[in-house]
Amino acid sequence: MRAVDDAGRPCAPYTATEGGEPLRCCLRPAAPGERIALVSYAPLRRWAAETGAEPGAYDEQGPVFVHAGECGGPAPSGKYPFARPGALRALRRYDAEGRIVGGRLLELPEDPAEGFDRALAEAFADPAVALVHVRAVEYGCFHFEVRRP
């Protein structure tokens, strides 16, 4: 991803000026002065490669921010990333073949963890759901996925 992204484009690093970009590599906001890049990412394609699924037309790609160089990955926190009250998230549900089987819009409540917990419990109540992708509504950035527990 730091050389060529999932759309085949070369990575174009830049320095974050204000910070706040949701870094997918370490699941935290960028700090001012960090070297980052906006790249195209195909999370379902990567999951399908691990599982043998065939998502067909549902194999989409979208924008994610990453550090321009290697980073240590996410620090264990036990919290959902990028969870601020009032933020809008799209939760897309996929079956074991990588096909969409539903989804929902979630406006994060004052207790974002409670909102995510409820929405994910609802999603996994359907036995067909194998994983859920969480994206920002405003720009479509992929934030994280949750696989069936």
Side-chain angles (χ1 to χ4, degrees):
M1 297 279 305
R2 290 177 175 95
V4 177
D5 70 12
D6 287 349
R9 292 184 200 95
C11 185
Y14 67 95
T15 301
T17 54
E18 294 180 29
E21 294 88 341
L23 294 168
R24 173 68 184 90
C25 53
C26 56
L27 301 177
R28 67 166 178 80
E34 286 189 289
R35 294 286 293 163
I36 63 174
L38 180 61
V39 297
S40 186
Y41 182 63
L44 196 60
R45 181 182 313 160
R46 291 167 179 268
W47 172 80
E50 291 176 22
T51 64
E54 294 288 337
Y58 295 108
D59 174 26
E60 63 182 329
Q61 54 197 27
V64 295
F65 290 94
V66 296
H67 277 112
E70 293 297 319
C71 79
S77 73
K79 297 180 180 181
Y80 292 103
F82 316 117
R84 61 177 169 70
L88 297 174
R89 300 291 180 252
L91 281 72
R92 293 187 188 151
R93 304 169 188 176
Y94 295 90
D95 69 12
E97 286 302 312
R99 290 179 174 69
I100 293 176
V101 292
R104 71 171 293 204
L105 174 66
L106 174 65
E107 181 175 353
L108 295 178
E110 278 304 309
D111 182 351
E114 184 178 303
F116 274 127
D117 287 347
R118 271 196 314 266
L120 291 167
E122 173 189 294
F124 289 117
D126 179 348
V129 174
L131 76 156
V132 176
H133 282 181
V134 178
R135 292 181 180 266
V137 170
E138 298 88 344
Y139 298 102
C141 290
F142 174 79
H143 282 192
F144 62 94
E145 79 177 17
V146 179
R147 297 181 183 191
R148 177 168 286 285

